Amino acid sequence: MNQLQKAIAKAHRNDRTAKILITACGVCMALVPILIGLFLFYRGTDTFTLFHHSLTEFLFSGEWNPGDTAEGGGKVGAAMFITGSLAVCLLSLILTLPFSMAAAIFMTEIATPKARRLLQPAIELFTGIPSVVYGFVGLTVLIPFLKSIFPMPFSFSLLAAGIVLAIMIFPTITTMSADALAAVPKSWREASYGLGATRWETIAHVVIPAAKGGIATGIILGLARAMGEALAVAMVIGQMKVFPKSLFLPASTLTTAISADMGGAMEGGEYNAGLWTMALLLFLLSFAFIFLIHYINDLSTLKGEKK
Amino acid sequence: MALTTTTYGYTKEHSGEARPVSADAAAADSGSLTFEIKHMDLFYGDHHALKDVSMDVRTHEITALIGPSGCGKSTFLKSLNRMNDLVENCRITGDIRFEGKDIFREVDLLALRTRVGMVFQQPTPFPKSIFENVAYGPRLQGISNKGQLSEIVEQSLRQAACWDEMKDRLNQSALGLSGGQQQRLCIARTLAARPSVILMDEPTSALDPISTQKIEDLALELKEKYTIIIVTHNMQQAKRISDKTAFFLLGELIEFDDTVKMFTDPSNPKTEEYITGRFG
Amino acid sequence: MNDSHFAAKKRLDSIMTALFRFGAYFAVVLLIAFVGYVMGEGCRYLTGDMLSFSEKGLGNQFFNTLYLVFLSLIFSAIGGIPAGVYLAEYAHKGHLVKWVRMAVETLSSLPSIVVGLFGYLVFIVMTHSEWNMLAGALTVSILMLPLLTSVTEDALRTLPESYRLSSYGLGASKWQTVLHVLLPAAFPRIMTGLIMAAGRGFGEAAALMFTAGMSTDIHWDDWDLSSPSCPLNPLRPSETLTLHIWALRTEALEANANEQAAACSAILMILVVSFSLIARYMSYRIDKKMGGN
């Protein structure tokens, strides 16, 4: 064989090896979330199989008193954590949505393109800021501030957690919505103005309806982030194991319960199992959010909208 | 391994001047056939893009492929070095032989593409230095000796008539060159891989008249040592440089003959209509 | 239709415009105040003592943060870049690709505490080890995987098809094309992705709580890699800046907890913001360069 033939034979050999290795990496990538799901499932179902609690008890009962032993025999009702999570998420969404929408609309419809090019990256920068920093500012600024205006027993509260999360998800929702609004064709706006509509009418009747798929995706991503956030919430919510009855009282969420107790609960105990079940629930919820996003996208494409 | 490159390779005594590859083979091969295509059909899915094409390509001649857009001339060209393999759903039947061997069964794909080089419509330099662009082919072929590479690069750039303008900027990015320079660099890059055939897919359509002129002159020079098949939109170009011309229309090879005869006395009325500019 | 109708329309329009303006300004002012507070408060306490590499200072945590992120970048690059190459170059349409894409998407939306628990189970419980940096780095690398995979895929997809065609035309195999043409051409974008991933890694906390541990004990004169106090030993517990804030705020025993947390926040903010600014500047430069050609 001459040099060229050798080189070609080697190229073929390397090509085959590389193809196998690269494909293996792709498959491994796909296996990671499946593996995570399997492990969570394996640990999270102990509550039901090993300690014989029912799914209804876990989801709907408010009695949380699992035994920290392998014998079990306690109560594993996570309803207060679940409602706590839902309440905090909803609250943060309600608080952030008006400002997100205003900021997104301001950036795309009112501000000059130059201002938008400056504003949007600046806002996006905030998605990267560590959650503990948000928690720290919540602790040192927000909590004293809330205490000074509301008569609260502990000042750590659902409201404080909601506000911190609202600030955290503001950049996510705003940038996603702004992208969706900016993707609406300019000609649609011009057509609306041409019919004598004002800017507000154009925004309300043309731009927002056209962008609602993208806006919904942004909201869901924000919700997913709020649902999964642990430490920032844990720092300001007060972590009291009660149902969230008032905005001004402490509460707990799925993530705060896990972060507070997982380190202390005995491996293989009922308490531990209960916490793993909560982690499994979080995993399934984030899966559900993805499906929701896909569903919305499919809906928009079916109607012939641009994504 | 079904490698068919027996008369081909780098040898020490060749690395010095001019072209090592087919120089001695030239005399023996002149008049012989580089490509023999018999009853070739090509389908893109259900679309029958080339219909029963048969054609012989002579060694050390320039063969021009002409015809209106979408007639299949580019598709035909890309079949010769199996670039159509990259197109999904593309299926070829019939017989294509390169130096007597079936390109689908008897020739290794990488060896075929090494021996049948290609220059594209748009200049396509890699985002590397000028030197690395030209050295890419030889490196693929296992040459890593810096001195040997430099020699090949210089030789190829000289052959492509760009040594003088590029010799001082070999380490600069090829993307900084003008369009015409980029195209000649791409020809040099193709030459550096030491092919025996060069396929050119409308190589001048993106260039200004002066650059076009340079590439045409280059083609005429290169034909001494290479077999060239060129797709062109420009009938004057075909007339100026080619020995043989093939006229494609709607996927069929309408006429294939000596260029002189084709442009003075075409035997098919459709050819006459096309070359006199009545359509296309 | 009459004049008063138009007047009402116009009035509504200006009211709404004012509202949007107010909402946007309020949000922006709040965010600026947030940064201002963290930086102002933090820099007040950023003294030489605070920056020292000792029990009192944050130097060790700072070092742990950088070292841990560095390790996770290596791990996730090893997994994520080939996965991106697979998606961009090797994958055919089919179930496997759908599956891989879905996996990337799922991973990117998993709460970091869930990934942290997975890391805890696999790298701590199942290996019967103490909290250690390696476990933390592996866990964080899982969180970085989707970003690196999609950045690599996008980087390869934005390359002109002509790079592939001309490489094949010169007789290159697919792997040679990927290795010698496509990856070098995509390198700046992949680099940008790595910097972005690093920026996120600095801020990670929930995934490290149960993996990297919340203590650190480094002796800067101990260079025996197997010693638990050697700075470079990845098998030692290693509290990062983020974990330090968390530990200080919840189990504050130290007198200057507040000052330390403020200083940590400021350092983190500087790290994160500067890395994402660098990444942004790089991709801006790349786009400009690509657009110029």
Side-chain angles (χ1 to χ4, degrees):
Chain A
M1 284 216 283
N2 63 28
Q3 189 178 9
L4 177 72
Q5 289 171 317
K6 273 186 206 148
I8 287 179
K10 191 174 157 210
H12 277 296
R13 245 187 348 262
N14 289 346
D15 199 37
R16 277 191 297 271
T17 323
K19 187 176 180 176
I20 293 169
L21 286 179
I22 295 276
T23 310
C25 274
V27 173
C28 284
M29 177 81 213
L31 284 177
V32 173
I34 293 177
L35 216 61
I36 294 178
L38 279 179
F39 272 109
L40 288 172
F41 199 76
Y42 155 65
R43 294 302 299 261
T45 47
D46 278 355
T47 306
F48 311 117
T49 54
L50 223 61
F51 299 104
H52 308 292
H53 297 284
S54 68
L55 187 61
T56 356
E57 182 191 344
F58 178 77
L59 289 177
F60 302 112
S61 154
E63 278 189 80
W64 175 256
N65 186 21
D68 198 11
T69 58
E71 284 82 49
K75 303 274 189 228
V76 185
M80 58 186 163
F81 304 121
I82 298 170
T83 30
S85 279
L86 291 177
V88 171
C89 281
L90 223 60
L91 183 61
S92 64
L93 191 62
I94 293 168
L95 289 174
T96 210
L97 208 49
F99 295 103
S100 280
M101 291 327 302
I105 290 170
F106 176 76
M107 280 197 295
T108 52
E109 310 294 318
I110 297 171
T112 57
K114 215 174 162 185
R116 185 186 171 209
R117 273 204 299 277
L118 194 73
L119 269 177
Q120 186 154 354
I123 289 179
E124 270 174 31
L125 219 55
F126 282 85
T127 50
I129 288 179
S131 56
V132 282
V133 174
Y134 285 103
F136 164 72
V137 176
L139 258 179
T140 51
V141 180
L142 184 64
I143 297 280
F145 174 72
L146 286 178
K147 191 155 185 145
S148 71
I149 50 170
F150 298 112
M152 297 203 288
F154 305 102
S155 71
F156 294 97
S157 58
L158 199 62
L159 182 63
I163 294 175
V164 167
L165 276 185
I167 297 173
M168 283 183 71
I169 64 176
F170 171 80
T172 311
I173 301 184
T174 305
T175 47
M176 289 288 296
S177 306
D179 286 342
L181 292 172
V184 176
K186 209 173 167 196
S187 56
W188 295 14
R189 292 188 182 96
E190 278 159 5
S192 169
Y193 287 131
L195 292 169
T198 60
R199 179 151 67 190
W200 161 242
E201 286 166 330
T202 305
I203 293 169
H205 302 301
V206 178
V207 182
I208 292 183
K212 65 177 187 295
I215 295 174
T217 306
I219 291 174
I220 294 169
L221 281 178
L223 267 181
R225 189 163 183 220
M227 184 68 83
E229 181 46 49
L231 302 190
V233 179
M235 284 162 97
V236 296
I237 201 171
Q239 306 199 51
M240 200 182 267
K241 293 196 175 67
V242 290
F243 270 97
K245 286 196 202 75
S246 153
L247 282 182
F248 304 108
L249 287 175
S252 270
T253 68
L254 291 167
T255 51
T256 64
I258 296 173
S259 56
D261 297 336
M262 190 56 112
M266 194 196 86
E267 253 320 289
E270 189 180 37
Y271 206 113
N272 193 272
L275 293 174
W276 279 105
T277 314
M278 288 197 232
L280 176 62
L281 183 63
L282 279 173
F283 178 82
L284 294 177
L285 278 174
S286 65
F287 227 75
F289 283 129
I290 291 179
F291 273 110
L292 210 58
I293 290 173
H294 275 262
Y295 177 73
I296 290 169
N297 280 345
D298 288 350
L299 224 59
S300 322
T301 27
L302 273 185
K303 279 195 257 162
E305 289 173 9
K306 271 192 189 161
K307 265 202 283 182
Chain B
M1 295 244 59
L3 296 177
T4 58
T5 49
T6 44
T7 59
Y8 173 75
Y10 297 94
T11 48
K12 273 182 197 136
E13 56 272 31
H14 280 146
S15 59
E17 71 219 50
R19 286 311 296 180
V21 180
S22 354
D24 38 306
D29 278 354
S30 78
S32 70
L33 297 179
T34 296
F35 277 107
E36 298 155 77
I37 297 110
K38 289 200 179 64
H39 304 297
M40 169 195 170
D41 285 84
L42 184 144
F43 304 84
Y44 288 129
D46 292 335
H47 175 58
H48 197 167
L50 286 174
K51 296 164 194 161
D52 193 26
V53 176
S54 297
M55 184 197 287
D56 288 335
V57 178
R58 277 183 188 284
T59 308
H60 299 163
E61 281 190 351
I62 297 183
T63 305
L65 311 179
I66 61 169
S69 306
C71 66
K73 56 192 192 299
S74 272
T75 305
F76 174 76
L77 188 78
K78 285 178 196 144
S79 304
L80 299 180
N81 64 344
R82 291 181 59 186
M83 288 303 264
N84 280 327
D85 287 20
L86 302 169
V87 181
E88 243 177 284
N89 287 329
C90 180
R91 194 162 50 84
I92 297 174
T93 61
D95 199 26
I96 305 179
R97 286 180 177 274
F98 171 62
E99 294 177 347
K101 299 220 160 83
D102 185 327
I103 64 166
F104 293 103
R105 283 164 208 91
E106 295 172 303
V107 188
D108 178 83
L109 175 64
L110 300 185
L112 174 75
R113 288 194 187 144
T114 308
R115 302 219 54 204
V116 182
M118 187 157 207
V119 176
F120 297 85
Q121 187 170 4
Q122 297 286 336
T124 58
F126 297 131
K128 297 171 181 279
S129 69
I130 292 174
F131 183 92
E132 284 303 324
N133 261 283
V134 182
Y136 184 71
R139 276 190 201 280
L140 291 177
Q141 296 161 17
I143 296 171
S144 52
N145 178 304
K146 185 81 185 167
Q148 211 179 345
L149 282 176
S150 300
E151 230 164 79
I152 298 173
V153 169
E154 178 176 345
Q155 222 177 79
S156 311
L157 285 172
R158 276 189 197 283
Q159 272 192 298
C162 33
W163 174 249
D164 291 333
E165 38 192 315
M166 294 181 197
K167 66 175 179 226
D168 297 325
R169 48 198 291 200
L170 289 178
N171 291 318
Q172 290 174 25
S173 168
L175 299 180
L177 298 171
S178 73
Q181 288 174 320
Q182 287 188 359
Q183 192 63 302
R184 275 178 289 135
L185 175 71
C186 289
I187 293 176
R189 185 177 65 185
T190 305
L191 296 177
R194 314 211 175 188
S196 58
V197 183
I198 302 174
L199 308 178
M200 297 183 169
D201 188 2
E202 299 193 33
T204 60
S205 68
L207 303 182
D208 59 276
I210 295 170
S211 302
T212 302
Q213 175 71 46
K214 283 186 181 169
I215 303 257
E216 285 183 14
D217 293 346
L218 192 56
L220 286 170
E221 248 172 70
L222 292 174
K223 106 178 198 187
E224 300 295 318
K225 284 152 192 159
Y226 302 89
T227 307
I228 295 176
I229 306 173
I230 180 170
V231 166
T232 176
H233 237 71
N234 178 337
M235 268 168 298
Q236 294 313 309
Q237 186 170 64
K239 204 168 157 182
R240 278 194 298 267
I241 64 174
S242 70
D243 301 297
K244 291 263 175 30
T245 299
F247 172 54
F248 284 81
L249 186 62
L250 297 170
E252 282 176 81
L253 176 58
I254 302 295
E255 193 169 345
F256 177 53
D257 212 332
D258 287 340
T259 300
V260 182
K261 170 154 190 307
M262 191 97 143
F263 281 89
T264 49
D265 178 25
S267 47
N268 190 304
K270 281 183 194 154
T271 315
E272 189 174 0
E273 278 178 34
Y274 182 71
I275 59 176
T276 52
R278 253 172 272 167
F279 71 91
Chain C
M1 293 257 188
N2 51 39
D3 285 354
S4 73
H5 173 80
F6 287 117
K9 261 177 78 147
K10 275 192 182 148
R11 202 159 48 241
L12 180 66
D13 186 50
S14 35
I15 291 172
M16 290 314 291
T17 304
L19 274 180
F20 290 137
R21 215 176 266 279
F22 168 75
Y25 286 165
F26 179 79
V28 169
V29 167
L30 201 67
L31 293 180
I32 292 173
F34 179 84
V35 178
Y37 175 79
V38 173
M39 294 310 296
E41 197 66 358
C43 292
R44 264 202 310 159
Y45 303 118
L46 277 182
T47 56
D49 237 15
M50 195 64 94
L51 291 174
S52 70
F53 289 83
S54 68
E55 292 275 304
K56 276 191 202 147
L58 301 170
N60 290 347
Q61 280 85 356
F62 181 70
F63 173 76
N64 285 341
T65 305
L66 293 186
Y67 193 25
L68 188 138
V69 167
F70 175 71
L71 289 179
S72 8
L73 279 180
I74 293 179
F75 296 137
S76 64
I78 289 172
I81 293 176
V85 171
Y86 170 75
L87 283 178
E89 302 296 326
Y90 283 85
H92 301 283
K93 281 175 200 150
H95 290 296
L96 186 60
V97 185
K98 257 191 183 166
W99 198 35
V100 178
R101 265 182 224 295
M102 191 79 191
V104 173
E105 210 178 328
T106 312
L107 267 188
S108 65
S109 75
L110 281 185
S112 65
I113 190 157
V114 170
V115 177
L117 286 180
F118 171 76
Y120 165 66
L121 190 63
V122 175
F123 305 126
I124 301 287
V125 177
M126 289 171 64
T127 58
H128 304 290
S129 30
E130 301 273 296
W131 309 131
N132 65 75
M133 183 190 273
L134 190 67
L138 284 166
T139 310
V140 171
S141 75
I142 296 179
L143 286 165
M144 292 173 170
L145 266 182
L147 177 70
L148 277 181
T149 305
S150 43
V151 164
T152 307
E153 184 190 355
D154 290 346
L156 291 171
R157 279 190 196 280
T158 49
L159 295 177
E161 192 58 24
S162 67
Y163 290 177
R164 293 181 187 89
L165 292 181
S166 25
S167 178
Y168 291 141
L170 290 163
S173 69
K174 183 163 200 157
W175 175 238
Q176 286 171 325
T177 305
V178 169
L179 190 67
H180 299 305
V181 177
L182 302 183
L183 280 178
F187 179 75
R189 274 181 208 278
I190 296 175
M191 197 60 212
T192 310
L194 281 169
I195 293 173
M196 265 160 67
R200 291 196 196 168
F202 292 135
E204 196 43 64
L208 295 174
M209 265 202 306
F210 304 119
T211 48
M214 284 194 254
S215 61
T216 186
D217 178 27
I218 300 178
H219 294 297
W220 286 93
D221 44 9
D222 183 356
W223 293 103
D224 172 15
L225 255 187
S226 60
S227 145
S229 57
C230 169
L232 291 178
N233 178 4
L235 291 172
R236 62 181 166 85
S238 55
E239 184 185 52
T240 63
L241 288 170
T242 49
L243 286 177
H244 194 57
I245 298 180
W246 167 250
L248 283 171
R249 297 313 309 174
T250 52
E251 46 209 69
L253 298 171
E254 291 168 63
N256 65 342
N258 209 1
E259 284 97 48
Q260 286 203 26
C264 274
S265 300
I267 297 173
L268 276 172
M269 185 87 102
I270 295 169
L271 268 181
V272 168
V273 170
S274 53
F275 269 64
S276 80
L277 284 180
I278 293 171
R280 256 176 203 289
Y281 179 69
M282 276 177 65
S283 54
Y284 164 77
R285 285 289 300 273
I286 296 166
D287 287 343
K288 211 171 146 189
K289 216 169 134 195
M290 294 285 185
N293 278 298

